Amino acid sequence: MTYRIDLSIRAEDALAELPDEGRQEVMETIAAALVHRDEWPAMGGWDAALRFGPRSWITFAAYPDGIDVLDFGWAG
């Protein structure tokens, strides 16, 4: 099954400002959240979940066909 990933405008703009190393790690954290569907929050509601990488984190909401990344951070 193919899933989609949407970034909020805030997250999309911030991702563009990261150095390559930070952008890579955040994208890996997003990919890890996407494949661990058992860790997704309740779909279609107001619930969100956190996923942590080595030096990054994301918050995301879930829908039947994928996730929306609401925000992220990177400690670079």
Side-chain angles (χ1 to χ4, degrees):
M1 179 174 204
T2 302
Y3 295 110
R4 72 175 171 84
I5 301 170
D6 288 331
L7 298 174
S8 71
I9 293 172
R10 176 181 171 177
E12 191 172 327
D13 290 345
L15 191 62
E17 295 177 11
L18 287 178
D20 290 341
E21 178 185 12
R23 189 175 313 109
Q24 178 69 30
E25 183 176 324
V26 170
M27 293 304 292
E28 288 172 0
T29 305
I30 291 169
L34 189 63
V35 299
H36 288 96
R37 191 176 171 115
D38 58 318
E39 298 175 6
W40 289 9
M43 294 185 198
W46 290 97
D47 293 333
L50 279 167
R51 177 80 186 188
F52 293 93
R55 294 187 299 166
S56 63
W57 58 267
I58 65 166
T59 59
F60 64 97
Y63 297 91
D65 63 343
I67 62 173
D68 286 343
V69 177
L70 306 171
D71 200 6
F72 70 84
W74 181 67

